[in-house]
Amino acid sequence: MRRRTGLTHAAVAAALLIGSWAAAGTLPASAQEAPAPASAAADASAPASPALLDAMRRDLGLTRAEAEARLAAEQRATALLPTARKTAGSAYGGSWFDPRSGKLTVAVTPDAGATTVRTLRESGAAVRTVEHTEQQLDTAKSSLDRLDAPAGVASWAVDPAANTVVVTVVEDARTDNDVRAFVRKARAAGPVTVRTVADAPSTFAAGTVGGDPYYTGNVRCSIGFSVHGGFVTAGHCGGVGQQVRGWDGSYIGNFQGSSFPDNDYAWVNVGSGWWTVPVVLGWGTVSDQLVRGSAEAPVGASICRSGSTTHWHCGAMLAKNETVNYAQGAVHQMTKTSVCAEGGDSGGSFISGDQAQGVTSGGWGNCSSGGETWFQPVNEILNRYGLTLHTA
């Protein structure tokens, strides 16, 4: 990572990391200590920065005390999730974080048994009885993945709280014959609920404009997370072998792996005077945030995004394992959020607390009128390419 002469440390971070986890250190990756495993749990002793709390107040309508309490509750829910899933066993119907109660809610079918329900409650979880198991819902969702979706179908995913597969249809296309045919086939596959959305999803790449981006040809995107040897980003931003340039036009590296559609992830090697650090850029809205791991937060948890166009925004996780039907083709295993984004934010970082969650793929709407976004989970990218997240 190159420096601009005369810039302060914060300005260097803003200028150089281009909508990603920003530069807080000055040592190359090879001189840093070995990182924690990518799946490391959140560090409960790490306090939230005042700037992060301010962003949650702005975007989630929380007081400072409410934001602090919510982050602490989300940490507990994230830590409890693997145990709760194991306890529920074959009766597991999914789980989500409920911001009103501050608890992880675990759905179980009636055959869970009193002992299982009691154990879950004693662990701190709330319990809800549902009709369908997560496995049944996932099977129904997989059947939809094999269908050819028309452009008027925006996405589909399992909604554990509704205990159904939710198919999202673009409002203006809800009476389209192809959309209706898709919905009929979807209902035949299992429990399905249809909801409407204002616009069709699209990716957030953009043409070359000023600011602090990275460039691939005439496309501007945002760096995602630092990994040892490079960074991860969105696959639609470039293909294998394409060169990547930084804010100053200097060569950073090349796309070493890229997949889009079906997936939307990629990674770029870093060299030529650039290096990696485990920080998310706050763009002056919040202070730059350390990345300490990649423990997967539950549905309902708060989440924030950093990108080179709209900078820092927060919201909530709405769904996991959602299939998004872009014009270029369907992308699977995405996570949906209520965070806004715009062109050029593609590839940028999603973080919950201090835990990396994923890289920005696309969505609908903007940061003036609102909208929804999807990200590709970071752990899937790390596992696919055998990468190690650079953590503090």
Side-chain angles (χ1 to χ4, degrees), residues 63-124:
T63 66
R64 182 185 180 91
E66 289 170 340
E68 289 177 332
R70 178 159 175 172
L71 287 172
E74 289 172 356
Q75 280 190 329
R76 292 191 296 270
T78 298
L80 177 59
L81 182 56
T83 301
R85 179 189 292 269
K86 183 176 180 180
T87 299
S90 61
Y92 183 69
S95 57
W96 61 95
F97 176 76
D98 182 355
R100 290 172 296 182
S101 68
K103 291 185 175 183
L104 181 73
T105 300
V106 180
V108 296
T109 53
D111 57 344
T115 300
T116 296
V117 172
R118 182 173 62 253
T119 301
L120 287 169
R121 287 176 174 157
E122 289 174 349
S123 70

Side-chain angles (χ1 to χ4, degrees), residues 239-244 251-257 267-271:
V240 174
Q242 285 191 274
Q243 289 192 359
V244 172
Y251 170 73
I252 297 177
N254 295 72
F255 279 84
Q256 301 297 305
W267 83 280
V268 175
N269 68 313
V270 167

Side-chain angles (χ1 to χ4, degrees), residues 55 126 129 149 191 206 208 231 260 262 272 357 375:
T129 302
T208 300
F231 65 83
F260 180 80
D262 187 28
S272 301
Q357 299 297 309
F375 68 78

Side-chain angles (χ1 to χ4, degrees), residues 208-223:
T208 300
V209 295
D212 293 312
Y214 79 81
Y215 300 94
T216 304
N218 66 345
V219 171
R220 173 170 63 87
C221 283
S222 302
I223 291 174

Side-chain angles (χ1 to χ4, degrees), residues 17-343:
L17 273 204
I18 318 165
S20 74
W21 307 120
T26 58
L27 294 178
S30 59
Q32 310 253 351
E33 294 183 1
S39 60
D43 179 2
S45 65
S49 71
L52 173 59
L53 297 174
D54 286 342
M56 294 180 68
R57 289 166 58 189
R58 180 197 68 193
D59 292 338
L60 296 174
L62 304 175
T63 66
R64 182 185 180 91
E66 289 170 340
E68 289 177 332
R70 178 159 175 172
L71 287 172
E74 289 172 356
Q75 280 190 329
R76 292 191 296 270
T78 298
L80 177 59
L81 182 56
T83 301
R85 179 189 292 269
K86 183 176 180 180
T87 299
S90 61
Y92 183 69
S95 57
W96 61 95
F97 176 76
D98 182 355
R100 290 172 296 182
S101 68
K103 291 185 175 183
L104 181 73
T105 300
V106 180
V108 296
T109 53
D111 57 344
T115 300
T116 296
V117 172
R118 182 173 62 253
T119 301
L120 287 169
R121 287 176 174 157
E122 289 174 349
S123 70
V127 181
R128 180 184 294 181
T129 302
V130 295
E131 182 179 357
H132 308 288
T133 66
E134 182 184 60
Q135 183 176 2
Q136 290 171 329
L137 295 175
D138 285 345
T139 298
K141 192 261 180 183
S142 295
S143 297
L144 272 63
D145 286 342
R146 293 189 289 270
L147 299 177
D148 185 14
V153 176
S155 65
W156 52 95
V158 171
D159 183 341
N163 198 229
T164 185
V165 178
V166 174
V167 175
T168 305
V169 173
V170 179
E171 187 170 1
D172 290 344
R174 64 186 184 277
T175 60
D176 179 83
N177 288 336
D178 291 339
V179 170
R180 287 181 168 180
F182 181 91
V183 170
R184 284 196 300 271
K185 293 176 183 177
R187 293 189 189 282
V192 164
T193 299
V194 177
R195 297 174 185 168
T196 59
V197 67
D199 297 305
S202 62
T203 57
F204 285 125
T208 300
V209 295
D212 293 312
Y214 79 81
Y215 300 94
T216 304
N218 66 345
V219 171
R220 173 170 63 87
C221 283
S222 302
I223 291 174
F225 292 94
S226 291
V227 298
H228 284 269
F231 65 83
V232 294
T233 186
H236 70 264
C237 291
V240 174
Q242 285 191 274
Q243 289 192 359
V244 172
R245 294 174 287 113
W247 64 269
D248 59 355
S250 68
Y251 170 73
I252 297 177
N254 295 72
F255 279 84
Q256 301 297 305
S258 180
S259 178
F260 180 80
D262 187 28
N263 305 292
D264 194 4
Y265 51 60
W267 83 280
V268 175
N269 68 313
V270 167
S272 301
W274 296 71
W275 62 87
T276 64
V277 285
V279 180
V280 56
L281 181 62
W283 292 98
T285 302
V286 301
S287 57
D288 297 344
Q289 305 290 308
L290 289 173
V291 178
R292 300 183 184 274
S294 57
E296 185 178 334
V299 169
S302 63
I303 192 166
C304 298
R305 179 194 55 74
S306 180
S308 64
T309 297
T310 58
H311 298 173
W312 184 272
H313 286 274
C314 299
M317 290 177 53
L318 302 179
K320 294 185 180 183
N321 193 25
E322 184 149 2
T323 300
V324 183
N325 191 35
Y326 294 129
Q328 300 92 332
V331 177
H332 304 91
Q333 296 179 320
M334 304 281 272
T335 299
K336 181 166 67 177
T337 82
S338 63
V339 187
C340 68
E342 296 179 11

